[in-house]
Amino acid sequence: MGIIFGFFSMLIGLGLTLIWVLALIEIVRSEFQDKNERLVWLLLVILVPFIGTILYFAIGRKQRLEGGGDIL
């Protein structure tokens, strides 16, 4: 049972890391209304990875200008 739990824990960790990296890439590639918004989102996602990533996908994607950076 310990091996199975470890395997699924590793898969969940890899998935969360992948989503975090995709959020960072999307922020860098996107254009925002204000140039400071990009910096704020980058700092939030880097310094508070779990909460920052959730907030970016919930709020930050709506603040981008049209036509740039969609990965997901």
Side-chain angles (χ1 to χ4, degrees):
M1 182 157 173
I3 294 174
I4 294 172
F5 179 74
F7 177 73
F8 284 114
S9 296
M10 184 181 69
L11 283 179
I12 290 170
L14 286 173
L16 292 173
T17 302
L18 179 65
I19 291 170
W20 179 73
V21 169
L22 291 175
L24 289 173
I25 292 170
E26 188 170 301
I27 292 168
V28 170
R29 292 180 57 189
S30 296
E31 292 293 327
F32 289 88
Q33 297 169 357
D34 184 9
K35 299 295 181 191
N36 291 330
E37 286 182 31
R38 178 184 293 164
L39 179 61
V40 169
W41 283 115
L42 277 173
L43 288 174
L44 185 65
V45 170
I46 290 171
L47 296 176
V48 191
F50 185 71
I51 295 171
T53 302
I54 292 172
L55 287 174
Y56 172 71
F57 284 121
I59 300 169
R61 293 183 100 194
K62 297 172 187 168
Q63 296 177 349
R64 297 179 306 147
L65 296 177
E66 293 295 320
D70 268 343
I71 292 176
L72 296 179

